[in-house]
Amino acid sequence: MELEVRHLRALCAIADTGSLHKAARQLGMSQPSLTTQLRRIENSLGAELFSRERTGCRPTPLGLSVVSRARPLVSELAALVAEARSAADGADGPRLRIGSTASRALVGWLRRLRRRLPGTDISLHMDASANALLRAVASGRLDVAFVHEVEGCPLTVPDGLERRVLVDREPQFICMSPDHPAAAHPVVELADLAEDRWMVDPTVDGEWDALRRVLGAAGLNPSVLHGDYQTAASLIAVGEAVAPCQPTSGPRDDIAIRPLRDDPLAVRLLLFSRMGGGTGDEPTSGGLIEAGVFADLTEAYREAALRAVGYRQWLTRNKSPLLHAPAA
């Protein structure tokens, strides 16, 4: 049996829901059909991808690897279909094609853009790889890209792009089970995580290199799991792993989020566009950024930052200008 996109979509659904029953309902199929499909996929690959337990399904190490590779493929196909349908509709009028790595600021940013640019067809393409998004802007497939540049791992910026810096240094916090001993402290020492397994997404440009460098500098060599952060959340909640996370991450009862002592992990938040003016139905370029897209992103990020209690406390301790709204 050859793997198809529907098989990859099924694997992602099982990993996301942690249950064959819930995944089947999400996919619009019966549980027995999904169980049979999973068995065929595993037989095709020659190994078990999920361990069936009384409380649900958990990815095996191979399952984590397969799902982390499957997600961007499924996402890319969905984007391809959406773009093809949009082109087939022949919709006239202005459009704004946004690319972004994961961020809690996206909801507020899109809401503001729709108010600022009424009648504009605004689309969003997500990708864990910032470099892939920059290539898409350079080739004209995207108009702007909001990305994270991991500290110490510069992005490869194609010619013809201009950059605006949203946040020069955003600290990366750590997420862990609420029962973890380190969760009892307001700030976590790296040494307190020496015996933990760390989860890192290898598709995020530079993240593993930076984490390995920081852990090595602290004299730590913990075991590492590679997988996407949606899968990681279920492992973190039960104490099977810890992982870096954005300080704007929303609160969850089953996960504790804390800053690390001296903020050894950080990213820079950047907005890229093509240089020069847009043409036809493309309201792109630096002119667009100056026209308000960047301002809207700044306000949306500030809103998300202040909503996260731990990050707001960090911003207060560090006297960040984000605490103060810009003058009207």
Side-chain angles (χ1 to χ4, degrees), residues 94 112-122:
R112 287 171 169 80
L113 287 174
R114 294 192 191 284
R115 281 202 304 260
R116 181 181 294 276
L117 303 169
T120 298
D121 178 16
I122 301 175

Side-chain angles (χ1 to χ4, degrees), residues 5-273:
V5 173
R6 62 188 177 93
H7 299 140
L8 302 183
R9 191 176 293 115
L11 295 179
C12 292
I14 297 170
D16 289 343
T17 61
S19 160
L20 284 169
H21 174 71
K22 293 178 180 178
R25 187 168 55 188
Q26 177 179 303
L27 294 166
M29 59 193 301
S30 69
Q31 182 174 333
S33 296
L34 180 58
T35 300
T36 300
Q37 186 176 95
L38 176 58
R39 189 178 301 116
R40 288 174 178 169
I41 294 171
E42 291 178 327
N43 288 339
S44 174
L45 296 177
E48 191 176 67
L49 300 180
F50 293 89
S51 58
R52 283 70 155 177
E53 302 174 356
R54 184 176 57 82
T55 55
C57 289
R58 290 177 56 186
T60 63
L62 176 61
L64 286 171
S65 177
V66 171
V67 170
S68 68
R69 297 288 297 275
R71 286 195 195 281
L73 297 176
V74 172
S75 175
E76 188 65 27
L77 180 63
L80 184 153
V81 171
E83 291 173 8
R85 286 175 177 169
S86 177
D89 289 340
D92 296 325
R95 61 178 178 171
L96 175 60
R97 298 162 299 176
I98 296 172
S100 181
T101 48
S103 173
R104 300 285 290 188
L106 285 176
V107 173
W109 189 27
L110 292 174
R111 184 177 68 247
R112 287 171 169 80
L113 287 174
R114 294 192 191 284
R115 281 202 304 260
R116 181 181 294 276
L117 303 169
T120 298
D121 178 16
I122 301 175
S123 62
L124 175 65
H125 174 73
M126 301 293 296
D127 199 311
S129 170
N131 283 315
L133 291 170
L134 297 189
R135 292 193 296 269
V137 175
S139 67
R141 290 180 287 125
L142 292 174
D143 299 319
V144 295
F146 172 41
V147 299
H148 300 59
E149 181 180 62
V150 177
E151 190 170 70
C153 302
L155 295 173
T156 302
V157 181
D159 292 337
L161 297 190
E162 73 167 324
R163 181 194 72 192
R164 291 289 298 271
V165 179
L166 174 67
V167 177
D168 194 56
R169 193 174 195 271
E170 180 195 72
Q172 297 301 278
F173 285 7
I174 190 76
C175 52
M176 68 197 83
S177 164
D179 297 329
H180 195 294
H185 305 290
V187 178
V188 174
E189 306 283 348
L190 269 177
D192 293 338
L193 308 173
E195 302 303 318
D196 290 284
R197 287 189 294 181
W198 286 69
M199 191 88 176
V200 64
D201 187 343
T203 64
V204 178
D205 297 319
E207 186 156 280
W208 169 225
D209 290 337
L211 179 59
R212 180 170 50 190
R213 183 173 60 251
V214 167
L215 292 174
L220 305 180
N221 186 29
S223 59
V224 176
L225 296 174
H226 287 173
D228 64 278
Y229 287 124
Q230 291 188 53
T231 303
S234 60
L235 297 178
I236 293 167
V238 296
E240 289 294 321
V242 299
C245 67
Q246 297 175 19
T248 51
S249 299
R252 289 179 49 160
D253 292 337
D254 58 350
I255 291 179
I257 299 173
R258 301 286 185 272
L260 288 167
R261 177 76 63 191
D262 297 328
D263 308 312
L265 294 168
V267 301
R268 187 160 55 156
L269 306 183
L270 307 166
L271 184 66
F272 285 88
S273 68

